Every structure is written in structure tokens, then in C-alpha cells.
Amino acid sequence: MKLPDLTRLDDSAVLEYHGHPDAIAAAASHAKLRYLNVDLGRAEDKATLFHELAKGLKLPEHFGNNFDALADSLDDRDWLGKSGCLIRLGHATHYRKTHPNDWSTLEEILSEACTFWRERNLAFWVFVN
């Protein structure tokens, strides 16, 4: 699958991507976006989901480990970076299948963050890999 043009802010969204993770990192670097890699391979429940998100997204130590705190963190300009970011959610299949309600909430929060930053002319992409 070909990666989208990451400079097209109107297209930023949560997308499925089945290509190599290195291609995602290289594309983010080329577009001068902050690249954040979240490995969900060890996420077995909501607690480990938030642990992996906090680690991969480099969230502050005071992160509240809940969906509201995640939404607040994603709307923080200091966290985002100068020109936006690209988040890769790797190894997401297991968690998505075993926790469909939590996954739906997570995807909704990420989609809302894409819209929030797009309205402010900054890139916010999420690739589920």
C-alpha cells in the first residue's frame, strides 16, 4: 500500500496501513513530522493499553491513564511538535479484536485529534499497522 502525501493536511486521518514500519518512519521524517511509535503487542487490557500509549506517545508523567486524559494530551500544542506528528499503532490487531469497545473509543479520540489539528493547519496522522 502506498502512503498518502503527508503534506496534504485535509487528508490526515486514522488509516490502516499494512506496509513496512520503516516506510512510515521515513515518510514522517521526510514530511518533517514528529514520529511516534506505539507497540500494542503487549496490550492485553485497558491498563496495559494506556501504559503502551503513554510510553509510545511520550506522554507526561502525570498522564491520567484514561480516555479523557488521552484526549486532553493529544490536544496539547507543546506535546504535538512544531509541524505536527504521525503516530504508528503497531501490532494493534489482537487488541482491536479482543476489546472492540475500547478500540472504538480509542479510534474516535484519535479521529477527533486529527480533526482538531487539521482545523489548526497542523498534520496529525495515525497509521494502524
Side-chain angles (χ1 to χ4, degrees), residues 17 21 24 35-43 52 87-96 103 126-129:
Y17 180 74
I24 300 170
Y35 175 70
L36 298 163
N37 184 42
V38 180
D39 185 348
L40 296 179
R42 292 191 176 126
E52 296 303 329
I87 297 169
R88 175 186 172 259
L89 298 178
H91 305 107
T93 303
H94 175 73
Y95 195 87
R96 184 179 355 185
W103 184 262
V126 180
F127 290 150
V128 181
N129 185 250

Side-chain angles (χ1 to χ4, degrees), residues 27-79:
S29 177
H30 181 71
K32 296 181 176 46
L33 299 176
R34 181 178 185 202
Y35 175 70
L36 298 163
N37 184 42
V38 180
D39 185 348
L40 296 179
R42 292 191 176 126
E44 294 293 331
D45 55 24
K46 199 179 284 190
T48 54
L49 171 68
F50 287 121
H51 173 78
E52 296 303 329
L53 287 168
K55 182 171 67 173
L57 297 177
K58 299 178 172 111
L59 298 175
E61 286 186 32
H62 64 272
F63 173 65
N65 291 309
N66 61 61
F67 287 121
D68 288 335
L70 178 62
D72 289 344
S73 294
L74 296 178
D75 290 349
D76 180 0
R77 180 67 171 93
D78 291 333
W79 169 84

Side-chain angles (χ1 to χ4, degrees), residues 92-105:
T93 303
H94 175 73
Y95 195 87
R96 184 179 355 185
K97 287 182 180 178
T98 58
H99 299 86
N101 292 335
D102 287 347
W103 184 262
S104 177
T105 302

